[in-house]
Amino acid sequence: MTHDQPAALASPRARIDISQPHTARIWNYWLGGRDNYEVDRLTGDQIRELHPGIGEYARADRQFLGRAVEHLVADAGIRQFLDIGTGLPTADNTHEVAQRLAPESRVVYVDNDPLVLAHARALLTSTPEGRTDYLDEDLRNVDAILRHAAKTLDFGEPVALMLLGVVIFIGADEDPYGLVRALVDRLPAGSHLVLSHTVTTPEMPDVDEAVRFWNEHGTPKLTQRTPADVARFFDGLELLEPGVVTCSRWRPAPADWEPTEVAMFGGVARKS
């Protein structure tokens, strides 16, 4: 069932505010999850009225995550994942996909939302052979993330850096490209960057209207970028085919239906 009463606080640093809608909980609502409040459902429905296809973004992004992780484990031999901006646990989380194929995989999740923290501690469990850990930290705090993640991950071996739907929360004045580069630069050769981002495009003008509505009513604020802006995050890396594309068209399984074009773009790239 959905939560209409405050959850028990899992972190002394923050409390769960149910008076304001929050992106992680709205995303959970769009994915059919139960970890959301009435304010999130109301706002999620209002956004969906402005842009009816928004629910497809959440599903396309989740499917992109699954296909990217499957490729990294099965084809690239990756066994370590640093997933920043985890969001609320749903089906087929990074560790579940990775450890199905390689039970020894190690995954560190990072998020700064207290509700995510509460559920992550309960739900993000590991196989006996592998390990799953969770950090209550902000994407902007690169040194702290890497220092604590090193307790679980071996940074002498390749790591997949997962940044799905999180860089949109970094404003232009916060040097988002430098922030991503700082993380990638600290990873060894053979590591990969997996990144997705909602885009602004003339073909889908109602996306921008939905983002404007969110920035007027929700938190944290969003910064839209063009597909070319999103591609810049992969500069200096070996971008894998088919490049930076709508998430539904990144290596869809042959049995999938005809992919729906969504304004959520993603890509995977390798560090040489």
Side-chain angles (χ1 to χ4, degrees):
M1 67 182 175
T2 53
H3 299 287
D4 291 309
Q5 298 296 327
L9 295 182
S11 169
R13 290 177 39 190
R15 68 183 182 87
I16 299 169
D17 182 2
I18 65 169
S19 67
Q20 296 291 325
H22 194 280
T23 52
R25 302 191 307 248
I26 293 175
W27 204 255
N28 176 267
Y29 171 54
W30 286 333
L31 282 170
R34 300 177 297 173
D35 301 309
N36 48 76
Y37 300 90
E38 183 178 3
V39 66
D40 306 308
R41 300 189 287 275
L42 289 173
T43 303
D45 288 341
Q46 289 173 301
I47 293 174
R48 189 148 45 193
E49 287 180 10
L50 292 169
H51 183 51
I54 193 71
E56 291 296 327
Y57 293 18
R59 287 184 287 275
D61 193 51
R62 177 60 47 160
Q63 291 164 357
F64 167 65
L65 179 152
R67 295 194 299 270
V69 172
E70 287 175 357
H71 164 75
L72 292 173
V73 173
D75 300 325
I78 298 294
R79 296 294 183 269
Q80 302 188 108
F81 295 82
L82 179 58
D83 188 332
I84 304 177
T86 305
L88 286 162
T90 56
D92 285 336
N93 302 290
T94 297
H95 76 285
E96 292 172 321
V97 178
Q99 292 179 349
R100 272 201 302 266
L101 297 171
E104 71 276 18
S105 297
R106 295 185 169 214
V107 181
V108 173
Y109 291 103
V110 182
D111 207 294
N112 64 351
D113 182 270
L115 185 61
V116 174
L117 173 63
H119 286 272
R121 286 177 171 167
L123 299 176
L124 297 180
T125 57
S126 175
T127 59
E129 302 93 331
R131 187 172 173 185
T132 300
D133 200 2
Y134 180 86
L135 302 181
D136 179 20
E137 196 52 83
D138 191 283
L139 168 61
R140 299 166 182 84
N141 299 330
V142 172
D143 289 341
I145 288 173
L146 295 176
R147 182 172 64 253
H148 292 294
K151 298 175 183 177
T152 301
L153 306 178
D154 177 3
F155 284 108
E157 297 293 330
V159 175
L161 172 62
M162 314 287 291
L163 298 175
L164 277 75
V166 63
V167 185
I168 194 172
F169 302 119
I170 307 298
D173 60 340
E174 298 178 280
D175 189 18
Y177 298 103
L179 186 61
V180 173
R181 176 54 56 191
L183 284 161
V184 172
D185 283 349
R186 301 276 287 274
L187 302 179
S191 294
H192 287 68
L193 170 64
V194 182
L195 185 146
S196 68
H197 197 300
T198 307
V199 298
T200 177
T201 171
E203 290 77 19
M204 299 181 186
D206 49 353
V207 176
D208 294 332
E209 182 61 30
V211 169
R212 278 193 292 271
F213 178 87
W214 172 259
N215 284 339
E216 290 174 3
H217 299 89
T219 184
K221 305 306 180 186
L222 309 179
T223 298
Q224 279 283 73
R225 295 181 172 94
T226 67
D229 292 334
V230 176
R232 280 185 58 199
F233 287 108
F234 298 95
D235 284 355
L237 303 175
E238 177 190 345
L239 191 61
L240 306 188
E241 292 293 339
V244 178
V245 296
T246 182
C247 283
S248 57
R249 296 188 183 277
W250 197 89
R251 303 189 180 190
D256 286 353
W257 61 90
E258 180 65 21
T260 301
E261 196 82 10
V262 297
M264 174 70 77
F265 276 48
V268 180
R270 181 181 186 277
K271 180 179 179 181
S272 299

